[in-house]
Amino acid sequence: MLRVRCLRGGSRGAEAAHFIGSRLGRAFTGWVQRSLQSTQAAAASQNRCAAEDKAHSPKECPVCSYNEWDPLEEVIVGRAENACVPPFSVEVKANTYEKYWGFYQKFGGESFPKDHVKKAIAEIEEMCNILKKEGVIVKRPDPIDWSVKYKTPDFESTGMYAAMPRDILLVVGNEIIEAPMAWRARFFEYRAYRRIIKDYFNNGAKWTTAPKPTMADELYDQDYPIRSVEDRHKLAAQGKFVTTEFEPCFDAADFIRAGRDIFVQRSQVTNYMGIEWMRRHLAPDYRVHVISFKDPNPMHIDATFNIIGPGLVLSNPDRPCHQIELFKKAGWTVIHPPVPIIPDDHPLWMSSKWLSMNVLMLDEKRVMVDANETSIQKMFENLGISTIKVNIRHANSLGGGFHCWTCDIRRRGTLQSYFD
């Protein structure tokens, strides 16, 4: 996430298509328009996927996951160790709340408050212990010194962390897709996961690295006029984001899976070129649909729209989905989670209170949820879903909830379609 988990949303289709068309020409404009329209027709579309399920079983491959709710068997959990505040560059400013801009300007390139990080580390260790007790295999990325400065031909930066594997890794079937990312502070974040991914690859998994962007100045609107949330609302509604269409970029956390159908938002870190790369890469077995939200600063979809079961989705009431009728017409139940109860004075440098809905499903009837968020616990219990309560309040401050802090590597299930 990073998780400016709070910061998510979308744009209006026609305006976004016009904006992209002005940059890339008519051919690409046509694709954008078709992609945005495809969400409305997905429920009635014919299944063009292979007739026979080609899914690898967990016994054949250590990597196998098609959705967000099948029984969880193995997961990667991130690390808070050595977490650093990213430098206050244009893309960071566009994805953070103005009340924290002074914090970034003062501490960019340095450690997050050490006592806070220490508490976050302890919380995540306890989370890992609980997952193991629930029968889940837990893997961790390597600790790295993220304060080291680096330089490419196009930019200079320091790193950030390896706290949010959901941001950088997307598992589709037996394939691990390594996202290119869009923040300069996250350019080399993949290094923390390479040992684990190589092991999965050596044991039969597919491993794909998306085209790495140069992250040159042209990838960002250097004059992105952010002064307030109102500015963000207006720009997002016009299909204007801090990232341009100079080259493909995306964070994995802007995608959410439901079998053969994968949903994605155009955000501050995921552009249409990145979405198109994913669409072509996953076709014809998977269908990628662009959806959008009333969101002043979209970044990462899972605290805005979190699919928790077959035909069951959590939809943020503060950021309504423009294409929600697609899900309702397909017979899905849309649930609006209760308002989070996290105190206003708790620091959320990279996230919003809506991390309360950023939950991890262990299966259809078990969910890992914040121990402090009693309202959403009751909501799940009323749905017949048992809650596994874990306190990660300090970990939340670094930008993510349970879904963000994890990447499910193996779930016991098969590839299915939930929209035909």
Side-chain angles (χ1 to χ4, degrees):
M1 114 195 122
L2 122 52
R3 272 156 165 87
V4 189
R5 272 263 168 270
C6 57
L7 317 173
R8 313 175 169 13
S11 63
R12 292 190 178 92
E15 293 165 319
H18 177 75
F19 173 67
I20 298 306
S22 68
R23 298 299 299 268
L24 296 179
R26 294 182 179 178
F28 196 69
T29 301
W31 174 78
V32 172
Q33 292 171 330
R34 291 192 299 273
S35 295
L36 292 169
Q37 292 168 355
S38 70
T39 58
Q40 300 171 359
S45 67
Q46 294 296 317
N47 185 352
R48 296 169 297 178
C49 307
E52 184 176 347
D53 184 5
K54 301 177 182 178
H56 285 65
S57 74
K59 293 182 179 179
E60 296 172 347
C61 179
V63 175
C64 186
S65 183
Y66 296 105
N67 56 48
E68 311 291 337
W69 63 81
D70 279 339
L72 182 63
E73 297 185 339
E74 185 163 339
V75 69
I76 297 175
V77 177
R79 286 189 180 276
E81 284 86 344
N82 305 323
C84 285
V85 180
F88 193 58
S89 53
V90 62
E91 74 274 17
V92 173
K93 181 180 180 181
N95 283 269
T96 50
Y97 287 122
E98 51 267 38
K99 70 177 181 178
Y100 293 122
W101 286 351
F103 173 83
Y104 285 97
Q105 289 172 315
K106 183 177 181 180
F107 297 109
E110 301 178 14
S111 172
F112 280 95
K114 292 186 181 297
D115 184 61
H116 197 105
V117 171
K118 183 178 179 180
K119 292 176 180 177
I121 291 171
E123 290 172 349
I124 297 304
E125 288 295 332
E126 178 61 14
M127 172 184 164
C128 290
N129 292 334
I130 292 172
L131 282 168
K132 292 174 185 176
K133 289 178 182 178
E134 294 292 329
V136 179
I137 297 171
V138 175
K139 299 290 180 72
R140 309 295 301 281
D142 295 332
I144 287 179
D145 182 0
W146 300 105
S147 67
V148 174
K149 292 183 179 180
Y150 50 82
K151 182 178 181 179
T152 79
D154 299 288
F155 69 90
E156 296 182 23
S157 186
T158 48
M160 198 167 78
Y161 52 37
M164 312 293 165
R166 188 75 59 175
D167 291 4
I168 191 169
L169 302 176
L170 179 67
V171 174
V172 181
N174 70 337
E175 180 180 15
I176 299 177
I177 300 173
E178 198 176 288
M181 312 302 287
W183 282 27
R184 288 170 166 175
R186 310 191 76 175
F187 188 86
F188 288 111
E189 193 166 317
Y190 67 87
R191 295 176 64 245
Y193 300 93
R194 280 293 174 87
R195 172 185 53 83
I196 302 173
I197 296 175
K198 285 189 291 186
D199 185 60
Y200 288 137
F201 176 75
N202 289 332
N203 284 281
K206 292 176 66 178
W207 172 18
T208 300
T209 299
K212 196 70 173 174
T214 63
M215 297 190 184
D217 287 348
E218 292 87 346
L219 180 59
Y220 312 101
D221 180 352
Q222 300 294 332
D223 299 315
Y224 198 66
I226 284 291
R227 295 177 301 275
S228 66
V229 171
E230 288 71 24
D231 290 337
R232 289 172 169 155
H233 269 298
K234 292 176 182 177
L235 292 165
Q238 295 168 18
K240 295 180 180 179
F241 306 91
V242 71
T243 47
T244 69
E245 298 295 331
F246 175 70
E247 57 191 348
C249 67
F250 64 85
D251 283 11
D254 271 325
F255 294 81
I256 197 137
R257 305 160 303 157
R260 295 194 185 276
D261 293 277
I262 298 175
F263 298 90
V264 61
Q265 65 171 353
R266 203 312 183 182
S267 77
Q268 301 286 20
V269 293
T270 296
N271 63 13
Y272 285 117
M273 287 188 75
I275 295 171
E276 174 66 358
W277 185 89
M278 281 287 285
R279 186 191 68 80
R280 296 184 196 180
H281 177 73
L282 293 172
D285 293 329
Y286 300 89
R287 299 169 293 205
V288 175
H289 310 280
V290 179
I291 57 177
S292 60
F293 307 89
K294 185 180 179 181
D295 189 338
N297 201 40
M299 181 180 175
H300 302 164
I301 199 170
D302 49 3
T304 296
F305 203 74
N306 199 359
I307 298 174
I308 62 172
L312 195 61
V313 62
L314 299 182
S315 183
N316 190 322
D318 283 356
R319 306 173 199 148
C321 178
H322 295 137
Q323 297 82 16
I324 198 64
E325 288 303 316
L326 160 69
F327 296 86
K328 292 180 178 179
K329 289 179 180 178
W332 281 55
T333 299
V334 179
I335 299 171
H336 299 296
V339 175
I341 60 176
I342 188 170
D344 289 336
D345 60 354
H346 184 76
L348 290 171
W349 300 300
M350 294 190 173
S351 49
S352 75
K353 292 184 175 183
W354 285 104
L355 289 179
S356 59
M357 64 176 282
N358 188 262
V359 297
L360 177 68
M361 303 302 297
L362 272 60
D363 55 41
E364 290 183 40
K365 296 299 180 181
R366 290 183 300 162
V367 61
M368 185 166 278
V369 66
D370 194 309
N372 304 285
E373 293 289 343
T374 54
S375 297
I376 201 167
Q377 291 170 22
K378 292 179 181 177
M379 182 205 78
F380 279 114
E381 290 162 4
N382 290 336
L383 292 171
I385 299 173
S386 300
T387 56
I388 300 168
K389 304 172 185 66
V390 186
N391 178 21
I392 60 167
R393 255 309 141 75
H394 291 86
N396 286 160
S397 301
L398 299 180
F402 297 103
H403 199 252
C404 309
W405 277 91
T406 60
C407 175
D408 45 304
I409 292 296
R410 189 170 67 253
R411 289 183 180 271
R412 190 171 63 253
T414 58
L415 179 59
Q416 298 182 42
S417 178
Y418 303 93
F419 283 88
D420 288 328

